[in-house]
Amino acid sequence: MLTRGFGDMLYKIIPKPRVHRQERDLRQRTERLLVLTKGNNPTFSYYLEERLNRSPYPSQVRDLADRLDDIEPEGLFVIICRYIRPRQLQWLYRNRQRIAGAALFLDDDIAATLVSGEGQLSYKAYIAAVGILPLMVLNRILTDVWVSTPALRKALESKRTDIKIVGPLPSKQTYDCRKNDTETDHVVMAFHTGGCHEAEHNFLVPVVRESLRLCRNLRYEVVATGRIAKMWQQADLPEGQFVVHSNTIWADYLEDTLQSKVDILLVPLSQSRMNDVRAGTKRIDAARMGAAAILSRSHVYQHNASSGEVFVDYNPTDWVEVICRLAGDTTLRHRARDATANVVKWIAENEAAAFPLHIE
């Protein structure tokens, strides 16, 4: 466990993305786009996919495992979605004078994730290998750095780098709920998140335990693996009222959450350097599930807030109270569900759809 002071010192010396000044005055116009991404993933789905669909430029998407030797670099603008592997980095470096530009897109602070006390060492080793170490070469190639939020821009910006904001732009298939309002005898409550939210899992254990005890109509599902899954299985939750799901690939998760019934989606967010720069994309998940979201009261989710959404301070007692209120009031759940769905729809219809290419 890193101390706060040592973590701050380590954070400062970890490489951050920078634009190479000599690469700003580039050689040619952009004619085509290439996106490098680790398969289909939420970052690509929520930020880049719809922009590619609306872009006037021909585009292609390559997985991080793919070779690039068959691609013509002239006129090509390359968008790196968070990570890059050595083989593709070598190709980029060899062709840095021929491509039209290269942008790194980030939707979280990878350096902050590395120094946080959360997440497994294997995951941190992976993101260091594909998200931090490549910057030693990538910073000699980048013409652009794009990030998801103003807070992340503030965290990463320097005199050497003018960072552009590329906010969430979900495609309709990621948020359009096609479920009906048929009610059942029980209310499904869920917490779905990735591997770097250990603090939120710890926060929710007593909240969920007490909520299930008080509200016998509640059923709880959580996505977790490893020691987090074991923690939930040993949390003394009422038998028959909860299930622990393993992580699945993004395409399957999208399909599952379009089809399955979730009434209440829990969206706690602890305060940390890592969380403070996030975008409120969990709203998109809630809209797709047709769920009423209980959102942490923070600038992350109160940005673009809509009347009827449910915000709660990061306090267990308050969360239990709100959960039980929603579990017992269908009208209140539907009002919260519709309010969050309206926010997501507004974002999808009003967020800038163009990539901020500096060469047109």
Side-chain angles (χ1 to χ4, degrees):
M1 181 84 177
L2 296 175
T3 65
R4 175 76 179 269
F6 182 71
D8 290 345
M9 182 179 68
L10 188 58
Y11 178 82
K12 290 179 181 178
I13 64 175
I14 292 176
K16 310 297 189 301
R18 299 287 181 257
V19 167
H20 193 268
R21 287 297 184 186
Q22 294 179 357
E23 302 299 328
R24 290 294 302 192
D25 300 322
L26 278 177
R27 293 88 22 206
Q28 56 181 294
R29 294 170 59 87
T30 296
E31 298 174 358
R32 305 177 326 280
L33 302 178
L34 169 66
V35 177
L36 305 178
T37 181
K38 184 189 175 186
N40 198 357
N41 60 74
T43 300
F44 178 78
S45 290
Y46 288 167
Y47 293 92
L48 303 180
E49 186 172 26
E50 185 64 14
R51 286 185 167 90
L52 289 179
N53 292 337
R54 301 188 196 183
S55 173
Y57 299 104
S59 62
Q60 60 178 305
V61 179
R62 291 291 183 93
D63 186 82
L64 295 188
D66 293 345
R67 301 184 70 93
L68 305 181
D69 297 336
D70 61 321
I71 295 178
E72 170 57 50
E74 302 290 342
L76 187 70
F77 193 98
V78 182
I79 301 168
I80 301 151
C81 181
R82 293 174 59 100
Y83 307 134
I84 190 169
R85 288 186 179 273
R87 180 187 296 168
Q88 294 179 342
L89 184 59
Q90 290 171 6
W91 184 91
L92 269 182
Y93 187 77
R94 286 199 312 269
N95 293 286
R96 66 190 183 282
Q97 297 298 333
R98 300 176 63 194
I99 60 173
L104 175 63
F105 174 74
L106 297 172
D107 61 343
D108 64 14
D109 189 339
I110 297 176
T113 302
L114 279 182
V115 303
S116 75
E118 301 180 49
Q120 297 183 355
L121 287 177
S122 58
Y123 174 70
K124 291 188 177 186
Y126 173 78
I127 64 173
V130 296
I132 297 295
L133 291 178
L135 293 176
M136 299 175 69
V137 175
L138 199 56
N139 284 350
R140 301 176 62 186
I141 303 170
L142 291 176
T143 59
D144 297 83
V145 176
W146 303 338
V147 300
S148 55
T149 66
L152 184 52
R153 177 173 65 181
K154 184 177 180 180
L156 299 180
E157 201 160 37
S158 72
K159 294 180 180 178
R160 290 184 53 202
T161 302
D162 178 23
I163 296 177
K164 300 294 192 300
I165 295 174
V166 176
L169 184 68
S171 62
K172 197 169 185 180
Q173 70 177 27
T174 64
Y175 71 85
D176 189 25
C177 177
R178 297 187 293 274
K179 302 181 181 73
N180 58 45
D181 285 342
T182 302
E183 291 296 317
T184 61
D185 293 335
H186 56 263
V187 173
V188 178
M189 176 175 71
F191 180 50
H192 296 174
T193 190
C196 283
H197 288 274
E198 189 171 340
E200 287 80 7
H201 282 280
N202 289 326
F203 170 81
L204 282 179
V205 166
V207 169
V208 170
R209 185 190 298 121
E210 182 67 5
S211 298
L212 295 181
R213 185 186 70 81
L214 293 173
C215 307
R216 304 304 295 180
N217 67 323
L218 265 183
R219 300 294 182 270
Y220 176 65
E221 65 176 47
V222 60
V223 174
T225 56
R227 70 172 185 269
I228 301 299
K230 187 175 182 181
M231 178 183 71
W232 280 110
Q233 290 161 349
Q234 298 177 347
D236 195 28
L237 303 184
E239 189 173 351
Q241 283 186 258
F242 78 100
V243 61
V244 180
H245 295 299
S246 298
N247 287 329
T248 185
I249 63 172
W250 176 243
D252 289 346
Y253 178 74
L254 272 179
E255 186 62 27
D256 289 346
T257 49
L258 275 170
Q259 302 299 328
S260 61
K261 180 181 186 294
V262 174
D263 299 292
I264 301 170
L265 184 66
L266 305 179
V267 191
L269 194 66
S270 64
Q271 186 174 7
S272 68
R273 184 183 354 233
M274 183 173 55
N275 286 338
D276 290 347
V277 301
R278 294 188 186 277
T281 52
K282 274 297 171 184
R283 273 195 178 104
I284 304 172
D285 291 339
R288 182 173 64 255
M289 297 176 199
I294 303 179
L295 305 162
S296 272
R297 194 185 307 279
S298 69
H299 73 89
V300 172
Y301 285 105
Q302 288 184 288
H303 177 65
N304 289 331
S306 172
S307 175
E309 287 194 289
V310 177
F311 295 95
V312 188
D313 291 331
Y314 204 67
N315 176 288
T317 302
D318 293 345
W319 278 74
V320 171
E321 179 183 337
V322 170
I323 287 169
C324 290
R325 194 187 316 150
L326 284 173
D329 192 330
T330 302
T331 300
L332 185 61
R333 286 201 308 274
H334 286 181
R335 186 162 71 231
R337 174 200 66 187
D338 294 344
T340 293
N342 288 337
V343 172
V344 174
K345 184 179 179 182
W346 185 91
I347 291 171
E349 293 175 351
N350 291 276
E351 174 63 30
F355 289 110
L357 305 180
H358 69 272
I359 293 179
E360 298 292 344

